[in-house]
Structure formats: structure tokens, C-alpha cells
Amino acid sequence: MSTLNPAHPLGHAHSGDDAHTHHELSFVRKYVFSTDHKIIGIQFLCTTLLMLMVGGSLALGVRWQLAFPWKTMPIIGPLLFSSQGGVVPPEFYTMLFTMHATVMIFLVIIPILAGAFGNFVIPLQIGADDMAFPTLNMLSYWFMWPAIGFFMSSFFVEGGGAAAGWTSYPSLSAQAAAAPGSGAGQTLWLMGVTFVGVSSMMGSVNYMTTIINMRAPGMTLFRMPTTIWAMFITAILQAFALPVLTAAGFMLLMDRLVGTCFFTPGGLIINNAEPTVGSGQILLWQHLFWFYSHPAVYIMILPAMGMVSDMISTFSRKPLFGYKPMVYSLSAIAGLGFIVWGHHMFMSGMNPYLGMTFMLSTMMIALPSAVKTFNWLGTLWGGNIQFTVPMLNSLGFVSMFIVGGLSGIFMAAVPVDIYIHDTYFIVAHFHYVLFGATMFGVFGGIHYWFPKMFGRMMNESVGKVHFVLSFIGFNCTFFPMHLLGVAGMPRRLADPYNYPYLAHLLPMNQFMTYSAILMGFAQFLLLGNFFYSMFKGKKVGRNPWNANSLEWTAPSPPGHGNFDILPVVYRGPYEYASPLVEEDFLPQTRRLTPEQMAAVKPPATAH
Amino acid sequence: MRKAWSLFFLAAAVVAVAACWAAPGMHWWFPQKSPGGHAVSPLGNQIDDLFYLILVITSVTFIGTQAMLAFVLWKYEAAPGRRSAFTHGSHSLEVIWSVVPAGIMLFIALYQMDVWARYRIQSRFDPYAFEHPIAEVTARQFEWRIRYPAPGKTLQAKPQPDDLYTVNDFHIPLGRPVMFQLRSDDVLHSFFLPHHRVKQDAVPGMTIPVWFESTQTGEFELVCAELCGWGHYKMRGQITAQREEEFQEYLKKLSQSQFDDGVLAANAAGAQQAPAGEEKP
Ligand SMILES: [Cu+2]
Ligand SMILES: [Cu+2]
């Protein structure tokens, strides 16, 4: 209860009835406008899972057009475009991929990692009773909803939703005449992004403060689980990168609404409109956008890396290999992440010397990623591996992160990027990182912390089927994209087969679309399992996985205030298979007597 | 069912390698205009070499790490009564797997510099091509406009009355580097020649010099590779690489047809017929 004002004078001035509600919060205060980090985390999780289905449907629309160009699109076609025989027009296609990326990045991946897992896990793993600023935390969730509202309503305005790509490069995004989606839809898009930004910023401030100030006694920085480290570093990244995007968004809004010309050079005649005036720079937007959006790529994966490290150590029943190198490499990724944004702009016409420096820094950022991968393999080596659902998804993470990491080297190399830039090779790469790695990490995290959230287990068999179908569907959808990229197929074409040299790639695209449909339907298993298990899953105790970190010493689910016994931390979170104890795990809070400590000599092999 | 998960992850990696192995035979590889899908420009071939260099390095890493993953999942599957090794890491291993990849990445980066410099650093451009741009290419929704200088003249930044214009049809001479100025009239576009491995964004407000060289005659696709609006998919042009004489002939014909006002042609026809008429009687 520490998060509520304990001595509210008004509350005591009223009758005893008021004192009652003080403890028994009303439904609305408890589950809707809650300030409890766990409820907020679960709210974020449910919202983002819903948005995952929205973003997935948009992706299937894209896939349909690529597999069956200009054929009646199921459901959407007859509903919206019956006058054209259910065929979606090309401007609708450009809106589909723009909004797919927008929803997935701003409404799924960023909020599911920081919002859902960050919220739920941070106080529990550091032994705090809540976040530092519970009200701010509540606001960070509710600021998502205006953003969702703006994005969703943009589908219904004249010209439809934003269609300039999620990168929103001007002039397409700056001039209303440039495309149907560049009108009100683009304005709503920018406002939506602003609200997402404010929401993330509130979360970020909260996470940093909480992690710095509210750790349990004994929880030194280097006793924090890697999930906490990753969330901490991500919050710092957010805090430093996000203002740039927000400012750039405002500048673009000004260009659109009040006639400034930050991003508008003069003399452009767009779609027979009046020539533009001014002397703005198109490349300025790209620099500002990627100054945020490259770090955002890491905002979208670092938390998953931390979570996966926790899960792999737990289910290998073995200490995390190279804990400190893991932490240092997270920091290195975050630091280097600020000086590599130009690798998105090799072909943009910026000074070619910059291409060289950005290539060098980008190659160097592959290094910490390699270190992390080797350490995950090192953790598995010599372990006692339990193939639980969280573990399988974490292994999927490692397996696919390797692919995404290696394909990144191709595009980091500027000369090679001349050819593969803006082709499907890029699409393959970032889906391997953001879906193959991050989303599988998220799937793992959902199964891993579900018992803590609801006191019940998710169904193991359904979880395994979901993993297998998702993994197969994912790889069959996205691996061929590397080959499409090598074959020179550009992204964002409504009908690539218009080009004779791409015409023979249609069957492969159809195969990918079938795989995507399989993968899409597999997500219903996850949703079904999630909501069914919430009420009907097998009940479990505090520590179903025999894990070490603090959240597993709290009740499942933890009550308001989290811990019934104030946790005191004696060691790091990864003491699995310790020779000091009989069991193969040694919780951070378990106090050993000096006799117990001396009873077993550390084996000679350990170092 | 034991060891099944190891095999599951192994199978994914094996299928991936097999798909890449089979790709060239299935035409899932570089676009083919010449046998084997080689680039039809010298710089393009260097780019391909760098691509293959990275492909070898990444393939070795991919196979190594995936094999390692399958191996540990095979060997260390939980068994009753077993206990993990109690180790927190190894300093020497960390050093090795930091330093070795760092060296490799540094090598790749430095090794790539020269090709990039040749492609984009203006002081490295072919001097003749740099001083004699063959055309100005202006992208606009959704077409490519090409402006050549009149035969025998050099391209001026400002359009000249005797300039020659075509749309979506760009002719270039074979066997020498050619340079053109790339512009955009409205939004971003990107000039992409898949067979020549050339790509450069066309940026409103900027004029960007681009050069390439075709080593093969014929017609090649010109693709727009940067989203430019609803019609982005149909912004297709064509490059025709011709021998020098044919190219000069083409420009001459273009000039004739463009400045044909009916009078010129009639005069030419009259001039031809007049001597014939004189001879007759
Ligand atoms: Cu980036
Ligand atoms: Cu285009």
C-alpha cells in the first residue's frame, strides 16, 4: 500500500466506509486506472497482443497482394473495394505496409518489451514494492490509447491512413498533394507517434529512477538479472534518443500545418500543385529520424536479450556464462547505437565519406552481438537443458538472432549495400531481428512469467505446438526474402512482377504467403492458451521453475506491494548447480550459514 | 522423442543452407542477363566479389554456430541425476571471441572502402566521364525523364533549347564509364539498375552525379527503389547499352525526330528529289 497516500486527511475525515475502500480498491481503480505496476504491465501485455493481431492482419494484406497481385483480396476487398471487383488499389497497398510497420513497432514491440515486461518484471526482480512513480506509470499506459486512436482513426479519414512508409520520408510525408495518404492520415500518424513517444518517455524516466533507487538490500548493480540491466540500458537509450524523434515529428507537423519548410526544398512541383517555396533539406529528416530509429532497433531487442539470458540460464540449470561481458556488451551496443544511424542512408546522397565512417562503426556494433551469442552458447554448454516452452522460444531467439546478425553484415558493407539497399534482403534482416529474435523472446517471456502474473501455468503442449508452428511458419516466410533480395526485388512494390526480371519470383512469394498465413493462425493458439490459462490453467506456487531471481520469492500472483517478506539479497541471480546446496538452484534471498558455506569446497574445475 | 529438439533446430539450419545452395540453379539469385548472373559492369563485379566474401565468412559462422547449438542441445539435454557444470565463464574465451570477430569485422570494413570510394568519391571518378556527363536524369511521379545534350555539346545545368528528351528510355554507350546527373522534381525516388548493381536515391533539391559502365549491350531494367507514392511499383524505365557508334547514331536520330517541324523533313526530301528530277529529262 505504500504507493497510496497513507495519511490522506480527507479520507479520515469521512466515515469508516471510506477507510474500507482505502484497502479494497474499486474495480476501476484496481483494474482500469490502476497504479500497480503488475496490473499496468498486464494491461500493456493484453493491449499489445491485441495490436499484434491488428499488425499481423495488415501484414497478411501485404502478403496477399504480393502472392496474388490484383486479385480480389479476401474480406477486405469485397468490403471496401466492391466497385473494383474487390481488388485493392496500389495506394491501399502502400498504406498497408506503412501501417503494418507502424503498429508493429510503436504499438507492439516497443510497448510489449518496456511497457509489459519492463513494468511487470522490474520491481519484482529488484525487490521493490512498486515503481518509483506509480501515477506516471499509469499515465504511460493511458497515453498509448490516444496514439492507438490516432492511428486507427487515420484509416477512416479522406485518403486513408499514412502511406509514406513508417520512415515517413519527406516530401511524400510533408506535402499533402504527394499521395492520397499524405493528407489527414499523415497528420494523424505524426500525432500518434508523438503520443507513443510521450508514453515511452514516462516509462523510461520511471524505470531509470526505480532501478537506481529502489533495489532491495543487497541488490548491488552486478547482482541484478540481465533483464534489469537490459531494461535499464533501454530506458537510457529511450531518454536520449526519443526527444530527437519527437522534435523532428513536431517540425514535420509544422511543415504540414503552418507552412514552415524544415524538410521542404523550394521549386518542387508535386502532383501539379503549386511549386514549393523554402530551402529545407530532405536529408535532415532522415538524419533526425534515424538518430532515433537506429537506437530504437536496440530498444526493440535489448530487453528481449536480457530476458532470454535469464531464461537460458534458468533452463540450462547453469550460471549465465560471462555475466559481466553480457552486461558490458549490452552497454556497448547502446553506446555504439548512437553513432551508426547513417547506415540507413548510404544511398541517400549524404556525403560519401560519412558512408565510410558509418560502415566502420556499424561493423563494430556487430561485435557485442557476437559476444552475446557466444555467451549464450557457453551457457548451454555443460548445462542440464530442460526443453520447456520458454526455453524453446529462447533457443529460437538465439537461432534466428544468428541469422539476423549475420545478414546485417551484408548491409553494413556499403558497396554491397548499393545493391541490396531497399530490397527484400533488408526486409528479411529486420524481420529476423525483430520477429525471429524479439518476438520469440517475448513468446518465451510470456510463458515464463505467466505463472507469476496469474498464479497459473500456461498449457505446455499448446505452447510447444505454437512454438513449432510459429518457428516453421516464420522461417518459411522470411528466409526466402534473403533470396528475393539477392534477386534484386525491391521492397514496397505493389506489383513487383511488373518488372520482367522479377516475374519468375511469383511462386516463391505465394509459398511465403501460405507460410505467413500458417504463422498468423498459430498466434490464435497463443491467445487461446493465454486467456484460457488465465482462468483455467494449473495452479502453481511461488517458484514453479525453480529459478533464483527475486520475483519467484513473492506469492503468485503477488499482492499489492509485491513481497510478503522483504527480500534481502545475498548473491547474484544465476547460482544454478551451486556446490553449496543440494538442489540445483540457490535463490538470491536464501541465506546460508557459515557452516554451509564452508561445508563444500568449490570444485577445482570452477573458475 | 529424445534429442528431437536438437534435430529440430538442426533441420532449420540445414534447410536454410540447402536453400541458398540451390538458389542459383532455381534463379533465386542475382538477376541473369549474362551467363551465371554476373554483373554487367566492372564495379558491379567487384561488388559481387565483396558480397561473396561476406557470404563465405557468414556461412562459416552460421554453420559453426548452428552446429554448436544443435550439438549442445543434443549432448546436454536434461537427464535424471545429472548436474550442470558450475562455471561462471572464462576470461580467455571472452577475449578470444571478442578479438577474433573484431579483427574479421575490421578487415571486412577496410577491405570494402576502395570499391565504395570508386563508386561515390568524385575525385576518383573517371575524369572524362566526369567532365562530360551524358545526360541529366530527373525522376518524378512516376517516370524517368532523360535530358541529353545535343550531339557534340556538353550538358549544361540549365536546360538548353537544343537538348534532347526522352521518357523512361535511357541509352548509354558501351565500354566506357558514363556519368549522369540525378535529380528529382517532387519526392524521393531511387535510381536502381539491378543488373549493373547501381543504386542512388534521387533527392529533391539535390543534383547527384552517378556513374556506371555497361560491359554488355542490350536492354536492362531501370527500377525505382525508393517509395514515391501510390504508383511507385510502375515507375519502370529501360536502359539500352549500345556500341559507341550506335549510341551517337541514336542521339542524331533523336535530335532529328525531336526538331522535325515538317519543314526540315520536306526540305530534306526536296533536296533529295531535286537532283533526281534534274537528271530525268
Ligand atoms: Cu540501424
Ligand atoms: Cu518510386
Side-chain angles (χ1 to χ4, degrees), chain B residues 12 30 44 50 66 71 73-74 87 111 118 127 138 149 158 166 182 205 219 239 243 256 262 277:
Chain B
F30 290 107
L50 294 173
Q66 297 285 353
F71 172 75
L73 298 187
W74 179 279
T87 165
Y111 194 73
R118 282 191 56 200
T138 305
K158 279 232 168 92
T166 58
L182 184 61
E219 285 148 9
I239 297 279
R243 288 177 206 298
Q256 276 166 11

Side-chain angles (χ1 to χ4, degrees), chain A residues 243-533:
Chain A
V244 177
L245 179 76
T246 308
F250 270 122
M251 289 157 78
L252 188 52
L253 262 181
M254 290 301 112
D255 271 18
R256 297 177 52 82
L257 298 179
V258 303
T260 57
C261 50
F262 294 109
F263 308 120
T264 307
L268 308 183
I269 300 173
I270 293 169
N271 204 5
N272 294 322
E274 287 281 295
T276 58
V277 288
S279 51
Q281 286 283 338
I282 304 269
L283 292 192
L284 175 62
W285 168 265
Q286 299 188 17
H287 281 292
L288 296 176
F289 179 84
W290 288 114
F291 187 82
Y292 163 73
S293 291
H294 185 82
V297 172
Y298 294 112
I299 290 167
M300 290 188 270
I301 193 163
L302 292 187
M305 286 176 163
M307 286 154 49
V308 161
S309 303
D310 273 10
M311 289 185 272
I312 287 184
S313 172
T314 303
F315 295 111
S316 299
R317 316 307 298 163
K318 187 164 169 280
L320 184 66
F321 200 85
Y323 169 80
K324 280 195 179 175
M326 286 297 229
V327 172
Y328 296 147
S329 54
L330 280 175
S331 321
I333 289 176
L336 285 169
F338 278 104
I339 54 165
V340 298
W341 80 89
H343 61 214
H344 298 269
M345 299 173 60
F346 287 153
M347 302 309 126
S348 70
M350 70 174 178
N351 187 327
Y353 289 103
L354 285 178
M356 296 183 173
T357 57
F358 279 122
M359 165 162 67
L360 208 57
S361 54
T362 304
M363 289 286 179
M364 286 303 114
I365 208 169
L367 190 59
S369 303
V371 169
K372 297 197 77 71
T373 305
F374 293 132
N375 277 305
W376 285 319
L377 291 173
T379 307
L380 292 164
W381 184 282
N384 195 28
I385 299 169
Q386 300 170 337
F387 290 102
T388 58
V389 179
M391 183 60 159
L392 287 173
N393 282 289
S394 302
L395 294 170
F397 175 105
V398 174
S399 166
M400 289 181 282
F401 179 71
I402 292 173
V403 179
L406 291 174
S407 63
I409 299 175
F410 288 86
M411 57 203 66
V414 237
V416 177
D417 191 60
I418 296 171
Y419 180 64
I420 59 175
H421 179 75
D422 262 327
T423 66
Y424 260 83
F425 199 91
I426 312 291
V427 182
H429 163 75
F430 65 70
H431 279 95
Y432 263 89
V433 177
L434 293 184
F435 193 147
T438 298
M439 279 314 287
F440 277 80
V442 164
F443 294 153
I446 290 174
H447 287 87
Y448 185 60
W449 279 296
F450 189 89
K452 190 51 60 184
M453 291 178 186
F454 302 106
R456 293 169 186 273
M457 296 294 279
M458 283 175 81
N459 185 295
E460 182 89 3
S461 311
V462 177
K464 282 182 176 163
V465 174
H466 166 258
F467 166 71
V468 168
L469 292 182
S470 300
F471 188 84
I472 293 174
F474 173 84
N475 279 294
C476 291
T477 306
F478 293 103
F479 195 81
M481 288 187 182
H482 294 108
L483 305 176
L484 293 182
V486 178
M489 179 169 144
R491 329 157 50 171
R492 295 172 166 177
L493 295 184
D495 182 6
Y497 319 106
N498 186 30
Y499 292 100
Y501 81 104
L502 299 173
H504 67 285
L505 297 172
L506 181 64
M508 183 188 251
N509 272 294
Q510 289 172 339
F511 168 75
M512 290 155 64
T513 296
Y514 292 129
S515 309
I517 292 171
L518 170 78
M519 180 171 65
F521 277 95
Q523 303 322 309
F524 285 107
L525 290 175
L526 177 75
L527 285 191
N529 195 359
F530 185 83
F531 289 108
Y532 180 85
S533 305

